[in-house]
Every structure is written in C-alpha cells, then in structure tokens.
Amino acid sequence: MTDMLIQLSKETTVNNFRLVNVKNGLICTLEGPQGKELLKDLKQRKKYEYYRNKYGLEIDSIIKDLIIQGFIQVGNYNLEQTMSGLCMVLSAQDTFYQLDKGNLYYDMFQRSENDSKIIGLIGINGFSNSYHHNISFGSVQLVRESTREIADLSRKNLVGDYEVINCIQIKDYGDLGYTIDQSIMEKRISDIGILLKNKNIMPIYIGGDHSVTYFLLNSYIKNNPIQIVQIDAHKDMGYQRGNKVEHGSIIRKLSKNNNVKKIIQLGIRGPIEASEINDGKVIQCNISEVKNEIIANIPVYLTIDSDGFDPALNPAVNYPLFEGLTLKDFSTICEEVSRHDLVGIDIVEYNAENDTSNKLGAHFIGQIILEILRSIGESDAG
C-alpha cells in the first residue's frame, strides 16, 4: 500500500481544520501543528510512503481511521470499497417510534464504557440473495412509518419513559447504505455485525432477506461461541446454489461452524427434504420447550424470518404458510431469550410489495419490535 496515492475524498469538505463527510455526516478535526501539516498534505495527491517517511509509523492508525470513515480516497479504489460499513449506516429522515437519531460511529468508539446501554435499531434494505425473490427497497421505510402510528417512544408510554427503559436508551441509527455491488454489500453487513461484540449496544437489525443473518454473524462466530434461536416457517437447511450464500441455505452453512453450539428452530412447518435431516445441532421444538433447550451461559442470537408467523397476521412475505406463530407465542419466546445473554436480533424477509393496502404486515413487524423492547426492559429490571 505504500505506493498508493491518497488524498481527501470527493465527499469531504474542509472548514478550517474540520473535515466533514457530506455523505455520512461524520466529522473529524485535525488539531495541533502536526494536524494542520497533515491536512495540507492530504489536499494533494501523495503516496502513502511519503506520510510514513514524514510522520513515522504512528501515522498508520490515523490514516486508517480517515480511510474507513470516508475522509480519504485511496488510489483507484472506489470509496465504497474502503469505507467501513459502520460508517455507512446513514440517518433516516423519519425514525422508528419517533425515537432520537443515533450516531453509530460515535456510540461505538467515543462513548464511555460507563454510559448506559443502548438498543440500536438499524435498517438493511434491498438485499437480494435469493434466486426467486428480492425484498422491496421500500420495506424498511414502510415499517418505520407504521411504528410511528403504533407508539411514540419519545414520550411516556407502555415501554418506558422518554426513550429509556430501565436505563437502556433506544436509538434509531438509520439504514445501512445500499450498493448494487454484492461483495461490497456483504462486507458492509459483516462490518455492522461487529456490534454483536459490543457490550454497550444491543442491535436489532430490520430488513433484507435471510442471508443477512449469515453475514451479520460472520465476524462474531470466528472467535466466539453462540447459540441461535430461529423463528421461521422453513428450516433453511438447503444446499447452496451458485457462489452466493442464499437465504434458503444459511442454517446449514452456520451449523458447520464449531462456534455455533446449537440452533433452536420454532415455527417450522414447511416441507422438509431428505437433504435437510438434522445433524444433531439443529433442533425443532414447540414454544413450551424453549426454556429447556437454550444452553445456559452461551450468548444467544435471535433471528426472525417474518414467514414464521401466521400469514393472517403478516401476509407480507415471499413464502407464506398457514398455522404459523402468534404474537402470544412470540411474547413467550422473547421472555425466554431475554433471560440470557442476548447479543443481537434480526427481523428479515418482510416484503412491502406483498403487503395489504392497510399495511397489515408492516404494523405487525412494528408490533413485534415493540414486544422485543418490552421483554428486554422487563428482563433488565428483574
């Protein structure tokens, strides 16, 4: 990389010694004589080796931070290839339940460990790792709009007081920026999956198809044990077709990782092929058995495929099957997983294109998010 040319990116504006990325809203101030000198150099096209020779090896971490936040362009690389997915979570104009907008990068790296815990809502739009269906780009926004009709969490309500439940803040961080380049999109999703390792932020990811779960867990399961509670109409134990991780094969792929200790499936009722026979790690159970199936002292990840619920409640899915789970069932599941070390949640496969005219599916997704918040709040209080 030392022969690469680096310079300020086109998305960066300079106001005195403050850098502003106009795309993601991040701000950085280069302070002191050395900072001023660095800014002067960055306004020109110079090789990375020049910075090494002038500022020493300590410049590496500074340059890296400026690259992943999108302040610096590297050679002929597209800015989207070098920016971290954490810096591509962009604020939404409206928010879930009228919550305050959060700054994900700030909360990740600049908050004190003593600050209160955050439940962070993040939208993932338009992911298309399916050979038959894509998820509508308007799906996350439609759910956002519906939640504002369900509850106003900026005021006293059933969940808590003023965006706080038992000292846990709730923030809407916005949506992960979408790109048509699938490899970049997969990297971005893996990047925001790092939140699962952060003890101050418990993420709830909303949107996309079920392959999103694999990429979110990708980083975590490299070095950490986990168990997965899966709500779904289908086992997703099919074989991968082509070179992409698709939504119908993610559980088979995840089950092969030694750090995935157990996968508990609820709501399964689709046809089971011979290729989907259990390997001992993946089990199906009914609601009353969940309590006994979750392993103590191993972190839990909850993945929710929208078709796990009965289509009378949520018709906005690609593969509807009758006799699915109810909201009461879901409440029981939430209460059980909230008693454990819950590191993250995703809600996938809601498709606005298949919703009813009165947005029944969007309202239902909004209702289950509210149920998650209630369960976490009550568990934390206990």
Side-chain angles (χ1 to χ4, degrees):
M1 183 174 171
T2 55
D3 61 342
M4 284 286 190
L5 289 168
I6 63 174
Q7 65 185 97
L8 292 177
S9 70
K10 295 177 181 178
E11 283 77 6
T12 299
T13 61
V14 180
N15 183 4
N16 291 325
F17 303 103
R18 173 177 287 187
L19 308 180
V20 179
N21 185 314
V22 296
K23 185 169 187 176
N24 58 26
L26 293 178
I27 298 173
C28 173
T29 303
L30 299 177
E31 298 177 322
Q34 191 176 57
K36 296 176 183 179
E37 188 68 19
L38 177 59
L39 179 58
K40 181 180 177 181
D41 287 332
L42 288 173
K43 289 180 178 179
Q44 306 173 51
R45 287 175 60 87
K46 294 181 181 290
K47 289 186 177 181
Y48 195 88
E49 184 178 24
Y50 166 86
Y51 294 92
R52 278 273 188 90
N53 292 335
K54 182 173 181 177
Y55 299 99
L57 294 179
E58 61 268 19
I59 198 64
D60 284 359
S61 62
I62 297 173
I63 294 293
K64 180 182 177 181
D65 283 345
L66 292 174
I67 290 172
I68 66 174
Q69 293 180 67
F71 295 116
I72 290 180
Q73 189 80 39
V74 182
N76 294 322
Y77 283 101
N78 185 305
L79 192 63
E80 292 186 342
Q81 293 175 285
T82 57
M83 284 182 67
S84 167
L86 291 169
C87 301
M88 286 304 299
V89 178
L90 311 176
S91 292
Q93 184 174 357
D94 298 316
T95 61
F96 290 102
Y97 309 104
Q98 303 189 43
L99 292 165
D100 275 347
K101 297 178 182 180
N103 184 319
L104 181 59
Y105 199 82
Y106 175 86
D107 286 343
M108 276 287 293
F109 300 108
Q110 296 182 315
R111 293 177 80 251
S112 165
E113 291 185 0
N114 297 322
D115 289 340
S116 60
K117 186 176 179 180
I118 295 171
I119 298 174
L121 307 180
I122 299 174
I124 301 177
N125 281 299
F127 207 55
S128 55
N129 274 27
S130 166
Y131 278 90
H132 302 296
H133 296 282
N134 292 334
I135 303 298
S136 165
F137 283 99
S139 296
V140 174
Q141 181 57 27
L142 193 60
V143 173
R144 260 200 185 87
E145 292 172 1
S146 74
T147 64
R148 298 169 70 87
E149 299 172 12
I150 294 170
D152 179 356
L153 299 194
S154 66
R155 300 184 305 184
K156 188 173 182 179
N157 52 75
L158 294 175
V159 173
D161 295 343
Y162 306 100
E163 302 175 327
V164 176
I165 51 175
N166 298 315
C167 299
I168 302 176
Q169 297 181 71
I170 313 169
K171 294 185 180 182
D172 184 349
Y173 286 118
D175 294 341
L176 181 64
Y178 178 78
T179 173
I180 197 170
D181 188 314
Q182 187 166 308
S183 63
I184 293 177
M185 196 65 191
E186 291 171 0
K187 177 185 177 298
R188 285 183 181 176
I189 296 172
S190 294
D191 284 348
I192 63 172
I194 197 174
L195 288 171
L196 304 179
K197 301 177 183 178
N198 188 294
K199 296 301 181 183
N200 278 341
I201 303 174
M202 205 288 290
I204 301 176
Y205 305 103
I206 302 157
D209 66 41
H210 215 159
S211 65
V212 163
T213 303
Y214 174 79
F215 296 104
L216 289 172
L217 288 171
N218 204 19
S219 173
Y220 189 93
I221 60 177
K222 287 179 181 178
N223 301 300
N224 301 278
I226 202 167
Q227 57 188 318
I228 300 169
V229 175
Q230 174 194 0
I231 292 175
D232 208 320
H234 312 88
K235 293 185 64 177
D236 293 346
M237 287 283 286
Y239 284 102
Q240 183 175 318
R241 292 171 290 184
N243 295 320
K244 65 180 181 180
V245 178
E246 62 170 331
H247 67 163
S249 60
I250 59 150
I251 296 301
R252 177 180 293 278
K253 193 168 181 67
L254 285 167
S255 69
K256 302 303 180 185
N257 189 292
N258 290 332
N259 277 331
V260 177
K261 302 304 181 183
K262 192 172 188 178
I263 301 174
I264 302 166
Q265 299 183 321
L266 299 155
I268 304 297
R269 56 198 184 279
I272 299 176
E273 300 178 4
S275 62
E276 297 180 322
I277 300 300
N278 292 354
D279 63 358
K281 183 183 287 187
V282 183
I283 64 108
Q284 296 88 49
C285 69
N286 58 44
I287 307 303
S288 63
E289 297 171 327
V290 176
K291 181 178 181 179
N292 296 327
E293 291 294 346
I294 298 178
I295 307 169
N297 302 319
I298 294 180
V300 176
Y301 183 85
L302 175 61
T303 178
I304 304 165
D305 187 321
S306 299
D307 67 21
F309 299 98
D310 196 278
L313 300 171
N314 176 32
V317 298
N318 290 324
Y319 305 95
L321 287 170
F322 290 106
E323 298 185 356
L325 300 180
T326 66
L327 190 59
K328 183 178 180 181
D329 294 331
F330 184 67
S331 178
T332 301
I333 296 167
C334 283
E335 288 170 4
E336 292 300 336
V337 298
S338 296
R339 293 189 177 102
H340 296 264
D341 181 12
L342 184 61
V343 295
I345 299 169
D346 67 50
I347 304 168
V348 299
E349 296 283 352
Y350 165 76
N351 193 347
E353 289 186 359
N354 296 336
D355 212 341
T356 60
S357 59
N358 62 352
K359 304 180 291 183
L360 177 63
H363 278 82
F364 183 75
I365 299 301
Q367 194 66 47
I368 68 172
I369 297 171
L370 201 62
E371 185 62 27
I372 290 168
L373 298 177
R374 182 195 65 79
S375 295
I376 294 174
E378 289 185 356
S379 176
D380 190 72

